């Protein structure tokens, strides 16, 4: 059983040392809770639970703390993929929901498993999700001052359960100040993908991740027999060719962790019940 999570990127130029330490501590705490949950739950249930904790933490750009778009509104996206069943579900540009990843989880039982905009919100209300504003004062200040702090942020989790099953979940509050209707990578297989061989969650500039098909490429290459390290190496080399800005976390079916970013510094934490690894 293993778990690895990410919380977007950290820039020394626009975030303080205190924020960095707070993120390190929060990721370690959330990874611990996620691993404890994994003891008695499936990989799919665990990645949803863990990403919901990240959505509930205003330090990260998902759920509470999401970025504000150019028209002053918050729209979020999230997706879930079960490596065993190969089912993918997600919501795109959903508004006024506390935990978009939990809506994606409910959608797993539907034939129509990816919903956007008003349809996603209507579905959430019909399935017991309360109307909830995820805006926090800091994001409004950033919006009004046209600051773009944290604009390359997303949260995600991949897990390997005690039955050897993999799952991946990713959630984002956008990049901030984007054109209304813009779609990120987070609710696509470019940003969130899993099968029985590997699970990957990405963060960074959504357009670059989609252009590179980052998560799907890594998983496909591992499935074809490439080691997880080599799969990352080749995929990130291709990302470099387009000067892409991205980071990714992954676990393969043998329990090997891997993470990489094209520009420093993706914030992440991994835990296998014994050893922690947290970003510097």
């Amino acid at each position: 059983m293993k778990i690895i999570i990410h919380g977007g990127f950290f820039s020394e130029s626009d975030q303080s040392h205190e924020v960095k330490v707070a993120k390190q501590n929060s990721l370690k705490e959330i990874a611990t809770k996620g691993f404890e949950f994994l003891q008695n739950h499936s990989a799919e249930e665990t990645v949803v639970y863990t990403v919901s904790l990240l959505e509930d933490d205003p330090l990260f750009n998902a759920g509470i703390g999401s970025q504000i778009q150019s028209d002053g509104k918050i729209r979020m996206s999230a997706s879930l993929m079960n490596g065993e069943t190969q089912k993918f579900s997600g919501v795109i540009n959903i508004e006024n929901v506390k935990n978009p990843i939990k809506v994606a989880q409910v959608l797993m039982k539907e034939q129509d498993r990816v919903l956007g905009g008003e349809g996603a919100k209507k579905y959430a209300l019909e399935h017991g999700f309360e109307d909830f504003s995820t805006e926090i004062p800091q994001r409004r200040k950033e919006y009004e001052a046209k600051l773009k702090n944290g604009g390359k942020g997303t949260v995600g989790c991949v897990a390997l359960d005690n039955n050897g099953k993999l799952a991946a979940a990713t959630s984002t509050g956008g990049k901030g100040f984007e054109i209304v209707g813009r779609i990120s990578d987070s609710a696509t297989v470019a940003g969130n993908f899993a099968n029985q061989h590997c699970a990957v969650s990405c963060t960074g500039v959504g357009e670059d991740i989609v252009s590179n098909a980052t998560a799907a490429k890594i998983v496909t290459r591992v499935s074809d027999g490439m080691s997880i390290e080599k799969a990352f190496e080749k995929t990130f080399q291709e990302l470099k060719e387009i000067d892409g800005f991205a980071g990714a976390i992954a676990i393969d079916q043998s329990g090997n962790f891997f993470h990489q970013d094209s520009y420093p510094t993706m914030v992440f934490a991994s835990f296998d019940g014994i050893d922690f690894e947290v970003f510097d």
Side-chain angles (χ1 to χ4, degrees), residues 44 81-88 108 113 166 195:
E44 179 184 312
M81 190 159 185
N82 184 306
E84 180 185 17
T85 66
Q86 289 286 272
K87 285 187 175 181
F88 180 99
M108 270 291 191
R113 293 193 296 273
L166 291 157
N195 65 12

Side-chain angles (χ1 to χ4, degrees), residues 153-255:
T154 299
V155 303
C157 175
V158 295
L160 174 70
D161 65 28
N162 56 14
N163 293 313
K165 309 303 182 186
L166 291 157
T170 305
S171 181
T172 187
K175 65 179 183 179
F177 310 99
E178 59 265 66
I179 296 171
V180 176
R182 181 253 184 185
I183 295 173
S184 76
D185 66 289
S186 298
T188 76
V189 297
N192 190 74
F193 197 64
N195 65 12
Q196 66 269 36
H197 301 287
C198 186
V200 177
S201 173
C202 297
T203 183
V205 175
E207 287 74 9
D208 294 348
I209 294 167
V210 168
S211 295
N212 181 246
T214 306
K217 277 184 176 179
I218 292 170
V219 172
T220 299
R221 285 167 171 160
V222 173
S223 301
D224 288 344
M226 194 175 283
S227 71
I228 194 170
E229 293 89 348
K230 291 295 185 182
F232 265 79
E233 181 182 344
K234 184 170 179 60
T235 303
F236 272 76
Q237 178 57 43
E238 292 167 347
L239 186 69
K240 184 178 180 181
E241 292 169 5
I242 61 170
D243 194 29
F245 192 123
I249 58 173
I251 303 176
D252 68 17
Q253 64 186 138
S254 298

Side-chain angles (χ1 to χ4, degrees), residues 3 19 23 42 57 83 93 105 137 177 226 260:
I3 191 168
V19 170
K23 287 187 174 184
S42 69
D57 191 328
N93 287 335
Q105 182 182 31
F177 310 99
M226 194 175 283
Q260 188 169 336

